Amino acid sequence: MSALSRKWLGLAARNPRLAWDKARITLRNRLGGRWDYTFGNGRARPPATLCLKLSNACNLRCRMCGQPRENARPGDPKYAPPDFFRQSVSLDVYQRLIDEMKRFRPTLYLWGGEPFLYPHLFELIARIKAAGLVCQINTNGLLIEKHARELVESGLDDLIVSVDGPAEVHDAVRGRRGVFARLQRGVDALAEARRQLGSRTPVLRVRGTICPENFASLSELPPIARRFGADSLNFNWTWFTTRQAGQAHQALMRRLFDIDARSWIPFLSETVLDRETRLRFEALSAELQKLQRQAGDLPITLSPHIRPDQVESYFTDVRQSFGCRDCFAVYVKSYILPNGDVTPCPDFPDYIAGSIVDKPFLEIWNGEHYRAWRRELKKHRLFPVCTRCCDLYLSSIQFV
């Protein structure tokens, strides 16, 4: 039996609705997005996934993260003014979005920042579930212990927790001591709440980010995921770019859309590709080989799927896209920022197609701004900073 079949059957036993939803989204990602890309002239059917970034605020300072952070000072690439971290969409606006979209049955993916810092999180989950939609949360896990019972009672379908390695590695990546232990307590509390309430949900998944700090310890994550009782383990690769690519992107965005696209700056590769990091490529390749031998009953995916012999190319040749020369993600999912702005791209949100505060989402989704973005992206195949974005590889995810 293939890894995909094992994952789907295991998920179906825990949460049939989520399993069918994932099968539907996989089909849309691999086929529907390509169809709209080829024949839609910038138009797309309603998205399969809506990603709501609930808050820009975060209670960690992860080393590999390029998002703005609250302790940065003016002049720092990760600086943003205090108001940026207080942005918040009201429940009434989210309710309008849910009412508008529920007949298309998108999955609602809640993220941040840290989504648990959104003050109305559980009321929002309740409204999403009342509409019959699948709801996911991606969290650093620090607040799971506090809210374990609420998570189970809410009907949340899918809880994705970020783990980067064993305790000492995870704490170093996340920039704070004791966060792994706190995450472990949260996972244990969630399991106990599910037991007490006789529930199989939310399904728990582990997601790790491959970054220089954990190059030599990736193979320690499968045992951790199993100990957590995780349904699956997914690795995302560090997002980064080079100064040359970033400046080319900025110039292109100014020429095409008259915007000053500066969000690439915190993702400069100098933080990833120093001399010491390059010396550890061999260790990373060996760890990827170990992962291939460890999958067993635990489905493990890499996004993108980088082979051990491609590690150096991934980190040293930012032009390499590993066979994914076109982006279909902008036809199947969309991102809504904490102020209500709608953007095609999660961590490079320079281009804003509209705001759900001002108009219905579907007017934005196939409005002229969004269609212009899709047409230009197709014309250029990819923009200069696109090759290290996980969404590019959405339609080609593979199991190790």
Side-chain angles (χ1 to χ4, degrees):
M1 184 183 296
S2 69
L4 177 59
S5 298
R6 289 198 307 272
K7 176 176 171 57
W8 193 85
L9 289 173
L11 187 57
R14 294 177 176 86
N15 187 332
R17 171 69 187 282
L18 180 59
W20 284 111
D21 188 72
K22 286 189 175 298
R24 176 181 64 85
I25 289 177
T26 298
L27 188 66
R28 175 71 190 283
N29 289 345
R30 297 193 175 187
L31 298 177
R34 294 171 187 265
W35 178 273
D36 290 343
Y37 173 90
T38 304
F39 301 109
N41 190 29
R43 290 186 176 274
R45 283 164 289 180
T49 305
L50 276 176
C51 305
L52 310 185
K53 188 176 185 184
L54 300 184
S55 175
N56 291 314
C58 189
N59 46 14
L60 289 180
R61 303 292 180 266
C62 304
R63 296 183 65 174
M64 75 297 191
C65 181
Q67 292 193 39
R69 52 189 56 181
E70 289 144 296
N71 63 341
R73 297 185 177 185
D76 188 307
K78 297 181 182 179
Y79 170 79
D83 286 350
F84 177 80
F85 302 100
R86 293 194 289 267
Q87 291 176 353
S88 181
V89 173
S90 72
L91 279 173
D92 287 343
V93 172
Y94 280 140
Q95 185 65 59
R96 290 206 308 266
L97 176 70
I98 293 167
D99 290 342
E100 178 191 9
M101 296 300 296
K102 62 184 178 183
R103 67 191 178 100
F104 302 109
R105 310 197 70 78
T107 288
L108 274 295
Y109 175 85
L110 312 181
W111 68 301
E114 171 48 50
F116 277 81
L117 298 181
Y118 179 66
H120 312 296
L121 175 63
F122 289 99
E123 175 63 22
L124 176 58
I125 296 172
R127 295 185 181 202
I128 292 169
K129 295 309 300 175
L133 303 179
V134 167
C135 186
Q136 303 172 308
I137 293 179
N138 189 345
T139 175
N140 61 35
L142 288 193
L143 295 173
I144 294 177
E145 183 179 17
K146 179 180 179 181
H147 298 288
R149 192 175 183 90
E150 287 175 279
L151 282 168
V152 178
E153 291 175 335
S154 71
L156 179 73
D157 296 282
D158 196 8
L159 184 67
I160 305 165
V161 296
S162 298
V163 189
D164 299 305
E168 64 279 5
V169 173
H170 182 77
D171 288 1
V173 173
R174 299 284 153 174
R176 186 171 161 187
R177 284 187 175 183
V179 295
F180 183 90
R182 193 166 166 183
L183 171 59
Q184 175 73 73
R185 293 196 303 270
V187 169
D188 291 344
L190 182 70
E192 177 60 19
R194 284 191 306 218
R195 187 192 66 79
Q196 290 180 1
L197 295 169
S199 175
R200 292 186 174 186
T201 58
V203 169
L204 182 71
R205 289 193 284 152
V206 168
R207 178 171 294 168
T209 299
I210 299 175
C211 56
E213 290 77 16
N214 67 6
F215 276 1
S217 57
L218 296 186
S219 61
E220 297 185 59
L221 265 172
I224 293 171
R226 289 187 176 94
R227 191 164 70 246
F228 281 9
D231 169 74
S232 62
L233 171 60
N234 167 249
F235 288 97
N236 287 338
W237 292 74
T238 300
W239 289 34
F240 69 95
T241 193
T242 63
R243 188 173 299 277
Q244 181 180 11
Q247 290 176 341
H249 179 77
Q250 193 169 352
L252 183 62
M253 293 298 102
R254 186 178 295 113
R255 178 169 65 84
L256 294 178
F257 305 116
D258 194 26
I259 59 173
D260 188 19
R262 301 176 59 84
S263 62
W264 62 271
I265 295 174
F267 293 90
L268 272 174
S269 63
E270 282 83 351
T271 62
V272 177
L273 294 178
D274 56 27
R275 183 174 180 276
E276 182 183 348
T277 298
R278 292 170 183 263
L279 294 175
R280 286 183 281 173
F281 286 163
E282 187 174 338
L284 175 55
S285 296
E287 288 294 292
L288 291 178
Q289 293 173 10
K290 290 180 184 178
L291 284 179
Q292 293 174 347
R293 298 192 294 268
Q294 283 187 320
D297 61 340
L298 179 69
I300 301 175
T301 58
L302 299 170
S303 182
H305 191 87
I306 302 299
R307 300 191 311 265
D309 63 316
Q310 294 175 317
V311 165
E312 185 169 357
S313 178
Y314 179 85
F315 283 105
T316 59
D317 184 5
V318 75
R319 297 166 300 177
Q320 175 64 261
S321 64
F322 306 97
C324 295
R325 299 182 59 195
D326 303 284
C327 178
F328 307 111
V330 294
Y331 296 84
V332 298
K333 67 193 300 189
S334 188
Y335 292 86
I336 299 175
L337 303 179
N339 63 352
D341 284 348
V342 179
T343 180
C345 298
D347 278 330
F348 299 129
D350 301 292
Y351 188 85
I352 303 301
S355 171
I356 62 169
V357 175
D358 301 325
K359 63 173 63 175
F361 171 81
L362 289 176
E363 289 186 21
I364 301 168
W365 175 247
N366 275 321
E368 181 52 37
H369 278 76
Y370 226 125
R371 292 167 57 206
W373 175 270
R374 295 190 188 106
R375 287 194 296 263
E376 290 294 345
L377 183 57
K378 181 179 179 180
K379 184 188 302 182
H380 290 81
R381 300 298 293 265
L382 296 173
F383 295 141
V385 298
C386 289
T387 58
R388 293 300 173 264
C389 167
C390 295
D391 276 3
L392 173 62
Y393 306 94
L394 192 66
S395 61
S396 60
I397 293 175
Q398 301 178 43
F399 291 85
V400 301

